[in-house]
Amino acid sequence: MTNGETMEKYDVVSPLGIEVVKRQGVSPRLDDLNGKTIAEVWNGVFKGDQTFPVIRKFLQQKFPQINIIPFTEFPHYAGGDNAREQRERAQLVARMAKEKGAHGVISG
C-alpha cells in the first residue's frame, strides 16, 4: 500500500456453507502411452473440436500404438449450475472413460 495505508484482512464465509470432500492424491503419470487407451474429454468451451484432432495426430505420430477415444464419444458440458451438478457430470464422464478402458484422460 502507499502513503502509510495498511492492508486489512477479512474472513469471508459463504452463506451456502461448504461440503467436505475427501481429497485423493493425483494418479501417477503413465510411463509410456504406447499400448494405452487415452480418452479426450472436452468441456465444450475453447475450440476443443479444433485442438483435439491436432493433439491426437501428434500423439499418434509419437506413440504409434496409442488408442485414443475421441471427445465426440463423451458428453461435454461447460461448467454447471452448481458444485453438485458439476461433480455429478465429472463422475459420469470418469465412469464412461473407465468403462471404455481408458488408462488416462486429456481434458480441455
Side-chain angles (χ1 to χ4, degrees):
M1 308 295 313
T2 59
N3 299 332
E5 296 176 29
T6 61
M7 182 181 285
E8 295 184 43
K9 181 179 175 183
Y10 296 94
D11 289 328
V12 178
V13 179
S14 169
L16 300 175
I18 62 168
E19 182 177 335
V20 178
V21 178
K22 180 182 176 186
R23 294 193 181 258
Q24 298 177 348
V26 177
S27 297
R29 289 180 181 252
L30 298 171
D31 57 344
D32 185 7
L33 296 182
N34 276 310
K36 301 292 191 296
T37 298
I38 305 299
E40 299 172 339
V41 176
W42 181 31
N43 64 3
V45 182
F46 184 77
K47 299 184 181 185
D49 54 334
Q50 295 174 27
T51 57
F52 275 118
V54 174
I55 294 168
R56 186 181 317 131
K57 176 185 168 189
F58 284 110
L59 285 174
Q60 289 169 330
Q61 287 175 352
K62 186 169 182 173
F63 305 101
Q65 294 152 3
I66 193 172
N67 178 38
I68 297 179
I69 305 167
F71 68 90
T72 54
E73 293 193 29
F74 297 93
H76 54 270
Y77 309 102
D81 295 331
N82 57 55
R84 180 188 54 78
E85 188 175 286
Q86 291 174 8
R87 184 177 53 255
E88 287 173 355
R89 289 176 176 177
Q91 289 171 342
L92 168 65
V93 172
R95 194 168 43 253
M96 289 176 69
K98 191 173 187 177
E99 288 170 359
K100 293 175 181 285
H103 296 97
V105 172
I106 300 171
S107 175

